[in-house]
Amino acid sequence: MRSLKKLLAVLLALTMVLSVMVVPAFAAESLRYEDEAQKLYEMGLFKGKSTTEFVPDLESRLERQDGVALLLRLFCLDKEAEKLSESEAKAILAEKFSDADEVAAWAVKYVAYAVKEGIVQGRPDGKFAPKDSLQGKEYAKMILALLGRYEDSRYQLSLADFAEISGLAEGEASRLDRILIRDDVVGLSFAALTATYADGTSVIAKLAAQDENIKAKAVEFGLIAIAKVTTEIEPITIKVGESVQLPAQVQVEYTDGSVADVAVTWDRSAVKTDVAGEYKAYGTVAGFDGKIEVVITVKPDVLAVEDVTADNLKEVVVVYNQDVSENAEVAKKDNYKLSISKAIESVSVDGNTAVLKVQNEKNDIINQQEATLTISNKILEEEQKFEFTFFDATLPEVVTMEVT
């Protein structure tokens, strides 16, 4: 008999040792939201057991009063709750719950604030039951109430209703219909960031508007994305041999409606600045799937004429391929010659355009008369001739009319 008792004692001890070894390992393997816990912690929306470092304690079960505190921190309402005076908070709880004195001292203000804001109603028996285990439906119900989306008649469907307006999968909603551990609450909390209030405002957008760190982390974690690039970049024209100056930043609009200037990285590998032609450079912005396209025109460095026209009978317009306002030769009338017996009286230059005033006092240039303009090699690399037509589109004006 003694041998049997010793054997049973050994087996019992062995069982206890194995349970200590196996249970934590099983708990650790069952965790699903360690990454989300880290992200919430970095955004300042979640705390674990430590006030100085990240110790999430995801395996532990939670009481109902824990759930209230976690929810208020998630929505950045914990500081508002702490503004309640001790006496005010206790009065709120005493009026609402028959077991108000069972609420832990550290949780009094949080639970009182949740009652005051309609987030928590308590049990049908008039109790809050602060130390009861937190249920999935209860935490989902509190989130829905805070968002202005809860209906009393749908308590049993709280998880399903929450899944419809958030990033929580339906299957996960069913799985969480149970007593929650901290890991489960992290999953529900992270999903709540993509939910919307009754007025359509997203949770993460509202939180990001209150805190720059939350905004920066939300963008980093993909909770807030770039919706579009709002900067419009005009086509760029350079001369052969010149460098292309592209903007280092562009303005973007995020999915939360905010705007910001962000860095842009340019791929200009297809642009050949040493060869005249039209090219495209493409810009990318971190976190944005689209590309920014810019047309870059590389013009020859050699001065050339792009067009010669005469829209009236007194002026000839010469358009060059570059700014000639500082080119003294372009402004000299002796460097131009017309094939018709008309002299150039003067030349005015503006940007890349030279306007030649033609001597025509007798108005003997005929409308639609063809002519040739010769431009000297003092302006161009070699003397060149350009054909054009005088064309005056001005309609004649009736001065007097006589009936006979």
Side-chain angles (χ1 to χ4, degrees):
M1 179 64 75
R2 287 183 179 178
S3 298
L4 181 58
K5 288 183 177 179
K6 286 183 179 179
L7 179 59
L8 290 173
V10 170
L11 289 174
L12 179 60
L14 182 59
T15 301
M16 293 176 66
V17 170
L18 288 173
S19 65
V20 172
M21 294 173 61
V22 173
V23 172
F26 174 78
E29 289 174 4
S30 65
L31 298 180
R32 299 189 178 199
Y33 295 108
E34 292 173 291
D35 289 343
E36 286 79 1
Q38 179 71 49
K39 291 174 181 178
L40 289 173
Y41 176 78
E42 290 185 26
M43 286 190 283
L45 305 178
F46 171 76
K47 281 185 178 179
K49 295 173 66 175
S50 172
T51 58
T52 58
E53 58 183 337
F54 180 58
V55 185
D57 190 27
L58 298 180
E59 300 89 349
S60 66
R61 286 192 178 185
L62 296 169
E63 297 176 346
R64 280 163 54 82
Q65 59 189 356
D66 293 320
V68 173
L70 287 168
L71 181 70
L72 295 185
R73 172 166 290 279
L74 174 68
F75 283 84
C76 294
L77 295 172
D78 50 332
K79 300 300 181 186
E80 288 298 312
E82 290 164 7
K83 292 178 182 178
L84 290 173
S85 67
E86 198 74 25
S87 59
E88 182 185 3
K90 287 182 177 180
I92 292 172
L93 295 181
E95 183 181 351
K96 182 71 174 177
F97 304 124
S98 60
D99 61 349
D101 57 342
E102 294 181 20
V103 178
W106 65 265
V108 167
K109 292 185 179 181
Y110 300 132
V111 178
Y113 180 85
V115 170
K116 181 172 174 286
E117 296 299 319
I119 301 169
V120 167
Q121 295 176 339
R123 297 276 172 80
D125 60 2
K127 294 182 179 181
F128 176 60
K131 297 180 181 179
D132 280 9
S133 295
L134 179 65
Q135 299 280 342
K137 284 194 287 282
E138 294 172 337
Y139 193 69
K141 177 262 176 187
M142 287 192 290
I143 296 175
L144 290 170
L146 198 154
L147 298 177
R149 289 178 170 274
Y150 178 66
E151 298 177 25
D152 287 333
S153 63
R154 295 184 62 84
Y155 171 71
Q156 295 298 329
L157 299 173
S158 294
L159 281 163
D161 289 346
F162 174 67
E164 284 187 10
I165 63 164
S166 70
L168 188 70
E170 289 184 16
E172 188 66 353
S174 299
R175 187 184 75 84
L176 294 177
D177 191 7
R178 62 181 191 185
I179 292 175
L180 303 182
I181 61 173
R182 193 178 290 263
D183 184 67
D184 300 326
V185 171
V186 165
L188 287 165
S189 298
F190 198 82
L193 297 180
T194 58
T196 55
Y197 289 85
D199 65 2
T201 305
S202 77
V203 172
I204 191 60
K206 189 171 182 178
L207 293 172
Q210 300 172 23
D211 188 284
E212 285 299 321
N213 175 64
I214 295 177
K215 172 66 177 288
K217 288 296 180 180
V219 172
E220 179 184 340
F221 300 148
L223 293 167
I224 293 178
I226 296 174
K228 60 182 178 180
V229 176
T230 57
T231 299
E232 294 185 6
I233 304 176
E234 296 295 326
I236 297 172
T237 300
I238 62 171
K239 289 188 289 186
V240 170
E242 292 181 341
S243 59
V244 180
Q245 299 298 322
L246 294 167
Q249 292 186 320
V250 291
Q251 187 181 78
V252 299
E253 181 179 321
Y254 291 98
T255 50
D256 67 342
S258 63
V259 296
D261 292 329
V262 299
V264 56
T265 302
W266 292 100
D267 176 8
R268 59 185 81 191
S269 59
V271 180
K272 299 179 180 179
T273 57
D274 59 340
V275 179
E278 185 174 283
Y279 307 96
K280 290 181 180 180
Y282 299 93
T284 56
V285 173
F288 182 62
D289 293 334
K291 288 187 179 294
I292 307 165
E293 183 179 292
V294 181
V295 175
I296 300 171
T297 302
V298 181
K299 290 194 171 184
D301 192 27
V302 177
L303 183 61
V305 173
E306 291 187 340
D307 197 18
V308 176
T309 57
D311 294 334
N312 57 58
L313 306 182
K314 295 182 179 181
E315 292 177 336
V316 177
V317 178
V318 182
V319 179
Y320 292 93
N321 65 343
Q322 57 188 260
D323 191 329
V324 290
S325 56
E326 302 297 324
N327 190 324
E329 295 298 328
V330 172
K332 293 179 180 180
K333 63 180 183 179
D334 293 339
N335 288 327
Y336 303 92
K337 185 178 180 181
L338 289 169
S339 60
I340 59 177
S341 57
K342 297 294 178 181
I344 306 297
E345 291 186 343
S346 63
V347 180
S348 60
V349 180
D350 183 15
N352 67 334
T353 303
V355 178
L356 317 182
K357 186 175 181 181
V358 180
Q359 187 182 44
N360 191 26
E361 290 86 355
K362 297 181 180 180
N363 294 319
D364 52 355
I365 296 178
I366 303 171
N367 194 16
Q368 299 188 39
Q369 180 175 347
E370 295 180 351
T372 301
L373 175 68
T374 302
I375 302 179
S376 167
N377 58 8
K378 291 182 180 180
I379 296 177
L380 305 175
E381 277 195 318
E382 58 184 29
E383 183 178 280
Q384 292 186 43
K385 298 180 184 294
F386 301 91
E387 295 180 350
F388 68 97
T389 301
F390 283 100
F391 181 78
D392 189 353
T394 304
L395 293 174
E397 182 180 349
V398 177
V399 178
T400 61
M401 181 180 293
E402 183 177 336
V403 179
T404 59

